[in-house]
Amino acid sequence: MTVVPVFHWLIISQADKMSTDVSATVHGLQSIFQEQEMTENVHNSDGHGYLATFVGKNGRFAILRMHSHGLVTFDLQCLEGDDVAQVDNLLNALEKKLKALLDGNIQRIKRLPVLIRGSDVDRYWPTADGRLMEYDIDEVVYEKDSAYQNIKILHSRQFGNILILNGDVNLAESDLPYTQAIMGSGKEHYAGKEVLILGGGDGGILHEAVKLKPKMITMLVIDGCRKHMRKTCGNVLDNLKGDCYEVLVQDCVPVLKKFAEQGRTFDYVINDLTAVPISTAPEEDSTWEFLRLILDLSIRVLRPGGKYFTQGNCVNLTDALSEYEKLLGRLSCKVDFSKEVVCVPSYMELWVFYTIWKK
């Protein structure tokens, strides 16, 4: 079944308060819709201003709403292939007519960009704090359901290939600032050290860490993407073993438990498994328990003087970040932490990163 993309246009006009007669304003706009051969259907809004829908022969559908407190909104939906210039003329005519009818009683008028719904390439992805972002996606490079998660790689004209896991933007080829931040932002000395990476299937952390001449890197990952994120991972994922690294394609929890039982320790543990949950109710979100488990096990395999790095979440999610910091105080051993805020290009928001160490 082919889904036909829909264009969604929106004009917002704000008047002081609708001192003008609503019926007179509506009557003044009718000629514009008649010229477009759009049929009007007025709806009962229970005293909350005026609400009407308009349907055109060419598949256009519009909603005009005039609120009693002064807000006027107009939404226009069009099918793909509609005459864009004609649509633009309709919106211009409507805007001009509203200005004349409201006789300078407009505080502001704004036309929002087009929203495209139902296209083959999904360009809209939410930020962690719930704001909708439109990406310049022009191609679906790869999509597959693994045994653990849905994996998408989409191409953005400005960010390069973007890895999306279970609907969340994970990392783009432009996002070196993320990789640098979760490794300590250039303040650490990895040479001759033993490093444990949890997750990081995009290969970015491993690629950057190898350059710093560590003694050995052990990476635990369930999925890897070596083919479509080459600008991020280079060639380090071409082989599961290198001169100073080994990639284990295994669930990290049983391996961490085994390392703890064996007394195996590391100078650095880098957790790139998941962000701090948006939910602030740990009893309702199992991700919190997973985070606590990973934290406890990671601290157990951390050498004295070692450091644990991880991402937090969007800087605006203050409640969730506060809950995470409380969690740090409830671990099996006492820890201290610092945090850093970094702008990650493809996230289009500021992101918090944590450095944690034993007291």
Side-chain angles (χ1 to χ4, degrees):
M1 177 180 178
T2 302
V3 179
V4 180
V6 177
F7 293 83
H8 183 188
W9 300 72
L10 176 64
I11 288 183
I12 299 178
S13 169
Q14 178 73 48
D16 290 329
K17 188 174 180 179
M18 198 60 71
S19 55
T20 308
D21 183 9
V22 171
S23 60
T25 303
V26 171
H27 181 74
L29 295 174
Q30 284 177 338
S31 61
I32 295 175
F33 298 113
Q34 289 170 356
E35 289 173 4
Q36 298 290 327
E37 297 184 310
M38 299 184 77
T39 305
E40 178 186 31
N41 187 10
V42 179
H43 303 271
N44 181 8
S45 61
D46 295 325
H48 297 288
Y50 171 85
L51 172 64
T53 54
F54 301 85
V55 179
K57 294 180 180 178
N58 51 8
R60 294 178 192 163
F61 176 75
I63 303 172
L64 174 65
R65 185 151 198 172
M66 306 180 70
H67 298 264
S68 55
H69 65 275
L71 178 68
V72 179
T73 61
F74 179 72
D75 302 296
L76 177 61
Q77 298 180 13
C78 308
L79 297 178
E80 184 182 36
D82 201 342
D83 189 326
V84 176
Q86 192 180 86
V87 169
D88 204 40
N89 289 336
L90 167 60
L91 294 171
N92 289 336
L94 184 66
E95 185 175 331
K96 182 178 180 180
K97 194 72 171 179
L98 274 171
K99 287 178 179 178
L101 291 170
L102 296 178
D103 192 25
N105 193 31
I106 295 177
Q107 289 181 344
R108 69 179 181 273
I109 186 163
K110 185 177 183 67
R111 189 182 300 184
L112 299 181
V114 178
L115 296 177
I116 302 176
R117 305 189 302 185
S119 70
D120 293 334
V121 179
D122 190 354
R123 300 192 294 187
Y124 302 97
W125 299 92
T127 59
D129 59 353
R131 291 172 291 116
L132 185 63
M133 294 294 180
E134 180 177 1
Y135 288 79
D136 55 349
I137 303 295
D138 57 12
E139 181 186 359
V140 178
V141 177
Y142 177 85
E143 182 170 8
K144 182 180 180 180
D145 286 316
S146 77
Y148 303 96
Q149 56 199 339
N150 174 262
I151 304 168
K152 287 186 180 73
I153 298 178
L154 309 179
H155 181 263
S156 156
R157 292 193 296 275
Q158 62 180 322
F159 300 127
N161 285 348
I162 304 176
L163 173 63
I164 296 176
L165 300 177
N166 291 334
D168 291 328
V169 174
N170 198 260
L171 194 84
E173 291 178 318
S174 63
D175 293 344
L176 181 59
Y178 175 100
T179 303
Q180 292 172 330
I182 205 169
M183 292 178 62
S185 296
K187 302 171 187 175
E188 303 299 323
H189 301 286
Y190 283 83
K193 302 294 177 65
E194 292 196 62
V195 182
L196 176 63
I197 301 173
L198 308 177
D202 52 79
I205 297 172
L206 181 61
H207 179 58
E208 295 302 317
V210 165
K211 299 175 186 178
L212 303 177
K213 303 186 185 306
K215 179 180 178 181
M216 187 62 186
I217 302 170
T218 303
M219 178 172 166
L220 303 177
V221 67
I222 54 173
D223 288 311
C225 47
R226 64 186 181 186
K227 182 178 179 181
H228 301 295
M229 299 288 288
R230 300 295 284 192
K231 290 181 182 178
T232 297
C233 68
N235 62 1
V236 292
L237 293 180
D238 289 353
N239 298 291
L240 296 181
K241 283 188 178 182
D243 292 339
C244 65
Y245 70 89
E246 181 179 15
V247 178
L248 304 177
V249 184
Q250 297 180 40
D251 184 345
C252 69
V253 173
V255 178
L256 274 172
K257 288 180 178 178
K258 183 178 72 173
F259 286 169
E261 291 169 359
Q262 293 174 344
R264 186 174 176 185
T265 57
F266 300 86
D267 298 290
Y268 295 107
V269 177
I270 304 173
N271 177 5
D272 194 29
L273 293 169
T274 184
V276 169
I278 294 174
S279 165
T280 55
E283 68 279 1
E284 297 175 4
D285 190 335
S286 60
T287 308
W288 282 103
E289 179 57 28
F290 176 72
L291 278 181
R292 187 203 61 74
L293 176 62
I294 295 298
L295 270 165
D296 262 330
L297 290 171
S298 297
I299 296 301
R300 286 176 63 188
V301 301
L302 197 62
R303 288 174 184 163
K307 291 182 179 178
Y308 172 91
F309 298 114
T310 191
Q311 61 169 312
N313 210 310
C314 168
V315 71
N316 286 343
L317 296 177
T318 53
D319 290 344
L321 294 171
S322 177
E323 188 64 40
Y324 180 73
E325 290 167 19
K326 291 177 185 176
L327 175 62
L328 295 178
R330 298 194 298 267
L331 299 179
S332 56
C333 71
K334 292 185 178 181
V335 300
D336 209 343
F337 69 91
S338 64
K339 54 186 174 182
E340 178 183 16
V341 177
V342 172
C343 180
V344 180
S346 75
Y347 289 14
M348 299 195 223
E349 55 188 333
L350 296 177
W351 210 251
V352 177
F353 293 85
Y354 286 94
T355 302
I356 301 166
W357 60 91
K358 294 178 182 178
K359 283 187 176 180

